Amino acid sequence: MAVQWLLVCHGLVTLLVVVSFLCGQWPIFQGTFIQRIHFFLTFGAYDYFRRFVLFSCGSRGVDALHSAEYYCCDRPNPIIQLIYLLIIGTTYYIIAKSSFIYIPGYYISGIHRYTSFLAVGYLSAYPYDNIIFTEKECHTCKIPKPARSKHCSICDRCVARFDHHCAWMNNCIGERNTRYFMAFILWHFLICIYGIAALALILAGRLKDLQVVHILTVYYDIENSYRELAPLVLQWLLNSHNTQILVMVFLAVITMLLAGFFTYHAKLCLTNTTTNESFKWQEYLSWQTKVNEAKASAAALKASLGELSQEKKPPESKWKTFFSRSHLEEVEVVKNNIYDKGYLHNIYEIVAPFSTRRSFLLKKSKTG
């Protein structure tokens, strides 16, 4: 019973952390405990810990903390990573505590223990397009801003091919680590699939060992059909192995979220677009559409005034006027992404970024 309550609390805490971290700055949560949790996760917890180190160890302790922070994670505030490891560790503990006892054989059980433990633990070259990227200076770094880059306020540096700042990795996703970020998502997706499959096989083994279907059909005279047996078998599983069912539901939800996230970023990689650029393109296309509509409206008004100034013509048929195409319908804005050079080239650019290629390094050494 304690494991079930631990699972419920684990799910609620995970949901609260994710919602608070991602949505804590939304206006709807202003002044609520969600905003306060968001502040605690992003700034408060680490600030309190640093004050504690200063109080207990003095300035030398703070300097040692900064040195460890710089050499180990190279980013400030690793609180999110600690919470992430806590969530992963708790999920692993619940699965191990509730399900490993049903795996037949001591050695097989041991193999699953260690393999699952390892699975949890393993884890400017671009031209300016003069559309969404123009040659200008970074206001913070005071240097020429490369195309497709953006200054990250958290990392306090300009990031090449900036996609977004990932709090779970405590790093910006850019040119050199997009491949690792995609592998990070895919690996967690496969871990969740592995967990669901392993638990499903365990439950199937329990059904077979206890002969649940045989008992229902022989002793209770239940018809041997999926329609009749499925509700009864599901009811037995919920009564006897509710912890495993809850873990499977939790993993299934995480799997769907990871699948959607991976699909979205895979589409961006195939079109050689970043999350930052997708928002820029939306703003540009929206603005360009409004400009073109304004031009079309002005042209239509000018044409109407010209017709009025000419000699009076016989009126057009009502049907012809009804089916005539509006000038605004002719407005079309095309997304001209010069960085999209085909699926194969785009994938190769993710796997082997420009700045890591030998040709780029030789060119840079000659010019530098």
Side-chain angles (χ1 to χ4, degrees), residues 12-304:
L12 293 176
V13 170
T14 303
L15 180 63
L16 182 62
V17 169
V18 173
V19 172
S20 301
F21 176 73
L22 297 178
C23 312
Q25 290 182 315
W26 290 8
I28 191 175
F29 295 117
Q30 189 172 4
T32 63
F33 70 96
I34 298 292
Q35 185 186 33
R36 290 192 287 271
I37 294 176
H38 175 83
F39 175 80
F40 178 78
L41 293 174
T42 55
F43 177 78
Y46 184 69
D47 184 59
Y48 293 146
F49 177 70
R50 188 162 48 188
R51 291 182 184 181
F52 172 76
V53 172
L54 178 62
F55 175 77
S56 58
C57 303
S59 59
R60 291 186 176 180
V62 175
D63 294 338
L65 176 64
H66 290 168
S67 299
E69 176 185 299
Y70 177 80
Y71 289 109
C72 295
C73 61
D74 194 28
R75 296 293 185 275
N77 193 10
I79 297 299
I80 296 295
Q81 284 68 51
L82 298 178
I83 295 176
Y84 163 75
L85 293 176
L86 180 63
I87 292 173
I88 293 294
T90 307
T91 305
Y92 172 78
Y93 170 78
I94 293 174
I95 295 176
K97 187 73 174 178
S98 62
S99 305
F100 281 172
I101 58 175
Y102 298 115
I103 299 177
Y106 174 80
Y107 295 104
I108 299 179
S109 179
I111 291 173
H112 274 272
R113 280 191 178 91
Y114 293 114
T115 54
S116 57
F117 178 77
L118 290 174
V120 172
Y122 174 78
L123 296 177
S124 176
Y126 300 100
Y128 296 98
D129 60 357
N130 293 320
I131 301 177
I132 60 174
F133 293 109
T134 56
E135 190 172 356
K136 58 183 179 181
E137 184 182 77
C138 176
H139 299 294
T140 307
C141 299
K142 303 300 180 183
I143 59 173
K145 194 174 183 180
R148 309 190 74 182
S149 67
K150 182 182 177 182
H151 186 90
C152 178
S153 58
I154 300 176
C155 298
D156 193 24
R157 66 190 65 182
C158 286
V159 180
R161 198 184 180 277
F162 179 86
D163 189 277
H164 70 285
H165 182 89
C166 178
W168 303 107
M169 299 182 70
N170 200 18
N171 200 353
C172 284
I173 307 303
E175 183 198 13
R176 291 196 175 193
N177 62 353
T178 300
R179 47 186 174 173
Y180 303 123
F181 174 72
M182 296 297 292
F184 175 80
I185 302 175
L186 181 61
W187 184 251
H188 281 74
F189 172 78
L190 295 177
I191 288 176
C192 292
I193 293 293
Y194 167 78
I196 295 173
L199 290 174
L201 291 174
I202 289 173
L203 295 180
R206 296 296 295 167
L207 286 173
K208 183 178 179 181
D209 294 339
L210 299 178
Q211 299 182 350
V212 176
V213 176
H214 177 74
I215 292 173
L216 289 175
T217 54
V218 175
Y219 294 96
Y220 291 92
D221 198 23
I222 304 297
E223 182 182 351
N224 191 6
S225 64
Y226 176 80
R227 184 176 181 180
E228 296 293 333
L229 289 174
L232 297 175
V233 171
L234 180 61
Q235 182 179 357
W236 179 83
L237 288 174
L238 289 174
N239 289 331
S240 303
H241 299 283
N242 49 12
T243 302
Q244 287 79 11
I245 298 296
L246 288 174
V247 173
M248 289 180 68
V249 172
F250 174 76
L251 291 177
V253 173
I254 300 299
T255 300
M256 290 187 290
L257 293 175
L258 289 173
F261 200 52
F262 181 82
T263 302
Y264 170 74
H265 279 279
K267 181 182 178 181
L268 292 180
C269 292
L270 290 175
T271 57
N272 206 341
T273 309
T274 64
T275 305
N276 177 54
E277 292 170 3
S278 64
F279 288 112
K280 285 181 174 291
W281 275 115
Q282 289 178 5
E283 295 175 359
Y284 171 78
L285 294 177
S286 177
W287 171 77
Q288 197 66 29
T289 301
K290 292 178 181 179
V291 170
N292 291 350
E293 287 178 353
K295 291 180 180 179
S297 300
L301 180 61
K302 185 177 180 180
S304 300

